[in-house]
Amino acid sequence: IHLLPVGEVDGRRARLDLVSAELRRRRAEGQVIAIGDVVRGGGAAFVAIKCDPPSGRLGLATEYFTDGSPIVEFEKIQFSAWGESEVSTERLFSEYLSSYF
């Protein structure tokens, strides 16, 4: 499983140390982890950006990776629809985007 922090984290502690207690708890409870899941611990939030398989339970042999740039939270996202017909803002959101939010 590859976990990256959301924003910068305290550089004095190893990234994995921040969430190790939460990962142990999830392993003990048999919780399923999947790509996109957020794991919180040590005052930080981490996102599972890669899992092999894409979802599953943590085991004693699970390998953890935390290298890479932090996840950036967008302040604003602008969507534009292109095509043969005009789509209203409401329709664009309700038919194409709402399932992602």
Side-chain angles (χ1 to χ4, degrees):
I1 184 169
H2 193 161
L3 300 163
L4 288 179
V6 177
E8 296 294 332
V9 294
D10 183 356
R12 292 174 287 167
R13 293 179 62 189
R15 287 177 170 182
L16 193 54
D17 288 346
L18 294 170
V19 290
S20 61
E22 175 62 12
L23 292 169
R24 281 193 299 274
R25 184 189 70 76
R26 289 183 181 208
R27 183 181 66 212
E29 292 179 4
Q31 290 185 11
V32 173
I33 301 280
I35 294 172
D37 283 357
V38 177
V39 178
R40 298 180 188 281
F46 286 74
V47 177
I49 63 161
K50 179 75 176 161
C51 303
D52 186 23
S55 68
R57 291 180 175 83
L58 302 174
L60 294 175
T62 300
E63 294 180 346
Y64 301 93
F65 301 93
T66 59
D67 55 319
S69 298
I71 302 294
V72 176
E73 290 186 278
F74 293 111
E75 292 179 21
K76 181 179 180 179
I77 299 175
Q78 181 174 337
F79 295 97
S80 297
W82 297 87
E84 296 180 14
S85 61
E86 188 172 324
V87 177
S88 71
T89 301
E90 292 78 20
R91 183 173 167 218
L92 175 65
F93 189 80
S94 67
E95 291 183 23
Y96 302 103
L97 300 172
S98 64
S99 63
Y100 298 100
F101 295 95

